[in-house]
Amino acid sequence: MNIADLVAIDVHTHAEFSCHEPDDDYRIEFEDAKRKYFKSGSPPPIDETIAYYRERKLGLVMFTVDWEFEIGRRRVPNEEVARAAQDNADMMMAFASVDPHKGKMGVREMRRLIEDFGIKGFKFHPTCQGFFPNDRMVYQLYEVIAEYGLPAIFHSGHSGVGSGMPGGGGLRLKYSNPMHLDDVAADFPEMKIILAHPSWPWQDEALSVCLHKPNVYIDLSGWSPKYFPPQLVQYANTLLKHKMLFGSDYPLITPDRWMKDFTQAGFKEEVHALILKENAIKVLGLG
């Protein structure tokens, strides 16, 4: 990334609509429920997202979510996101998503994505992928991430996916308690771990893990900042000011809305640059 040219770096954006592959309409009720929960429209294709960010001089990290095992809906190809990042390397990075249930095939895919496509990190969604982050089943994937010195983003807290559906669509919130990542952070101290979102209803657990483990960070995506728990703002202003990252969750929340509300949410002026850009430069290895 040409970081000097960027106003901020959004570490949490989604590729939800392919430019090349037909959309998978299987279990479309999950998409309908998600749009209702976030009051969002239809997701844009990858190229439109990039144009949106380029117009605003924002950097972005983009990824899909591989939920083929738990939900059965085909993912957007990791390779497509990677190629888009290669074509827009001045302002974009690609993370990949590989379902932990793919086991050794997942390990092979991760290595291929890193070595052949330049993937710079990985995204996990314990609730939508149906696993506890500290399950030893997943450790073979973490070993690859740690070997290459890459970061990993984990969804944490409540999930808009499945909200309002009968039985929550069969998805279980327990998997996304950030305390499960305390084990991972202890067992893989060289791997940078990003806890995505305010982790309600486990916000204090997330702050504790982040404070205790030097390799754990928090991205502030998925909520408007005006709804952040007060303790999250307090720690972002003080002890954890170097460990908080700007993320929007686009297209579910736009960076326009997030950044507007951020200026009115009680964050000290001295931490604005850290959260919007400088901390991401460190975590993403851009400095």
Side-chain angles (χ1 to χ4, degrees):
M1 287 187 185
N2 295 335
I3 55 178
D5 297 335
L6 301 175
V7 174
I9 299 173
D10 186 340
V11 303
H12 197 118
T13 73
H14 287 271
E16 297 195 344
F17 195 92
S18 170
C19 297
H20 308 293
E21 300 289 331
D23 188 37
D24 185 2
D25 60 1
Y26 178 72
R27 304 200 72 181
I28 197 65
E29 67 270 20
F30 277 99
E31 293 299 319
D32 294 340
K34 184 170 60 175
R35 292 170 197 168
K36 181 178 180 180
Y37 179 86
F38 284 99
K39 299 180 175 65
S40 62
S42 298
I46 292 171
D47 56 354
E48 289 185 15
T49 297
I50 295 169
Y52 176 94
Y53 276 79
R54 185 174 292 284
E55 180 182 1
R56 289 156 177 77
K57 296 184 178 180
L58 297 174
L60 74 155
V61 174
M62 181 184 284
F63 42 76
T64 183
V65 176
D66 182 350
W67 54 11
E68 294 175 348
F69 174 88
E70 187 70 9
I71 293 178
R73 187 179 172 94
R74 189 170 57 248
R75 66 185 177 184
V76 173
N78 287 309
E79 294 83 355
E80 181 176 346
V81 182
R83 291 190 182 99
Q86 292 168 357
D87 292 341
N88 296 276
D90 61 315
M91 45 81 71
M92 179 180 175
M93 293 179 67
F95 281 21
S97 181
V98 176
D99 194 298
H101 295 90
K102 293 182 176 176
K104 288 182 170 55
M105 285 299 294
V107 169
R108 290 178 60 192
E109 180 181 4
M110 290 172 68
R111 290 189 180 278
R112 181 178 60 84
L113 289 167
I114 295 168
E115 295 174 2
D116 296 346
F117 289 89
I119 284 293
K120 302 299 184 185
F122 288 86
K123 156 75 173 186
F124 296 95
H125 196 310
T127 291
C128 285
Q129 293 174 321
F131 75 100
F132 287 108
N134 56 356
D135 189 325
R136 291 306 190 270
M137 167 190 74
V138 200
Y139 273 39
Q140 59 188 326
L141 276 66
Y142 301 155
E143 289 168 0
V144 176
I145 299 171
E147 176 186 341
Y148 286 91
L150 302 179
I153 294 178
F154 290 81
H155 173 92
S156 69
H158 184 81
S159 175
V161 181
S163 286
M165 293 175 62
L171 304 182
R172 288 161 171 78
L173 298 175
K174 63 182 180 180
Y175 294 128
S176 291
N177 185 328
M179 190 54 70
H180 302 312
L181 283 155
D182 187 59
D183 287 334
V184 182
D187 293 337
F188 294 90
E190 68 277 27
M191 184 174 76
K192 292 176 182 174
I193 295 170
I194 302 170
L195 304 177
H197 318 310
S199 299
W200 180 82
W202 302 293
Q203 185 62 75
D204 290 335
E205 285 89 337
L207 293 169
S208 176
V209 174
C210 189
L211 187 64
H212 192 259
K213 300 295 190 294
N215 56 323
V216 175
Y217 300 80
I218 293 174
D219 91 36
L220 301 172
S221 66
W223 295 34
S224 162
K226 67 183 179 181
Y227 298 121
F228 286 173
Q231 66 268 42
L232 178 59
V233 177
Q234 175 190 347
Y235 275 87
N237 281 331
T238 55
L239 295 176
L240 296 178
K241 64 183 179 181
H242 294 290
K243 303 188 80 180
M244 298 285 179
L245 308 167
F246 162 45
S248 66
D249 215 10
Y250 186 82
L252 301 174
I253 292 181
T254 68
D256 291 346
R257 177 189 179 191
W258 193 99
M259 296 175 78
K260 176 180 178 292
D261 292 347
F262 174 68
T263 63
Q264 305 169 21
F267 291 92
K268 295 178 180 178
E269 185 70 30
E270 67 193 65
V271 307
H272 283 200
L274 292 172
I275 293 172
L276 290 174
K277 183 176 174 181
E278 293 175 18
N279 292 343
I281 292 171
K282 174 185 175 183
V283 175
L284 299 175
L286 298 172

